[in-house]
Amino acid sequence: MSVLVYINSNGEKIAKNAFEAVTYAKKIGDVTVVTNGKADDSMLSQLGKYGASKVMVDRSFEGIDEQQLTKMVATAAEKIDANTIIFSNDLIGKAVAPRLSVKMNVGLVAGASGVPEADGTIPVNVFSGKAYGYVKVNTDKKIIALLPNSIPVEETGSEAPVEEFEGNAGESRVTVKETKLPEGDIPLPEAELVVSGGRGLKGPENWGMITDLAKELGAATACSRPVSDSDWRPHHEHVGQTGVAIAPNLYIAAGISGAIQHLAGVNRSKVIVVINTDDEAPFFKAADYGVVGDAFEVLPRLTEAVKKFKA
Ligand code: FAD
């Protein structure tokens, strides 16, 4: 089975969700990756380690214009006669996969969380991760947009050959005036350690407690939705059903109640530590470790303990 995976290689490095998409595709068939831009061959060839047999790169355009990418992926799909086309269900995947589905008249499964079963049925997360739905595509070919952080990355192979190709992407109809990366060094979807705060922290002036602990641990910072809705923190830090989905090794949540919509984005964390004054907060049911206590006391003490441990 011929499987095509689109990955974004316009950043300084390839993101974790690209490795996830290639790992996922490898479980379905023979994997060709398609991408665009100026990324160097040595970076792209690393995709072979995750299962890609070949990487095709269109160097004629850079950036993430959805219309250009749709045309490029359609050209690549035709060239290799792809039976299945895989995207990560990130912002680019959400914009390009539906366009491609219309252009190619092929069924799309968005938010897939597992590989297709023997009869082609694909599991998708529904009701904020509380249940699985099972979707079957009725067209011969299919497009799958994989939920980020839903499967572990696996290294199975060695480096893959990289070849240039012409994706017939056409001219872009938009001009990107400026690109701004979010503050902080660690992108949230890829962070192994995350320290997060909720409304229990009372206001943005208290966020130093979160950033101090994050700094000591080398962690990314996150927040609940009301916190970003109130402009205490930037929107890209909001985790949950309507925010970023994360799967770190450690998630420390302070002053967050643990509403189902919040849990939907964090319940793939390996270890969850909850700090809350209310011993009946729902988050304790999902926690591996719980501290019933005031975040204003617990967080600074935790930061001091980490400092001492590192010294
Ligand atoms: P609260 O519910 O107000 O909880 C604050 C917690 O802090 C309480 O448990 C309290 O006991 C504790 N606390 C108070 N003082 C202290 C202290 N000093 N020390 C320690 N603990 C203290 N929410 C998300 O987070 N992400 C989403 O993606 C999301 N999507 C949504 C989508 C929809 C359609 C809807 C309807 C809601 C969504 N929400 C989402 C909102 C969600 O339902 C909750 O309202 C939200 O998660 C609550 O945020 P919170 O826990 O910070 O605040």
Side-chain angles (χ1 to χ4, degrees), residues 22-67:
V22 176
T23 301
Y24 178 87
K26 180 65 184 165
K27 295 180 193 297
I28 300 175
D30 184 49
V31 183
T32 301
V33 171
V34 63
T35 188
N36 70 304
K38 301 276 184 258
D40 59 54
D41 286 6
S42 59
M43 181 164 113
L44 296 174
S45 65
Q46 299 304 312
L47 290 158
K49 292 189 179 161
Y50 304 89
S53 304
K54 184 171 73 176
V55 180
M56 299 198 309
V57 53
D58 184 339
R59 302 233 181 254
S60 68
F61 74 109
E62 286 182 73
I64 52 169
D65 180 310
E66 295 106 12
Q67 283 159 342

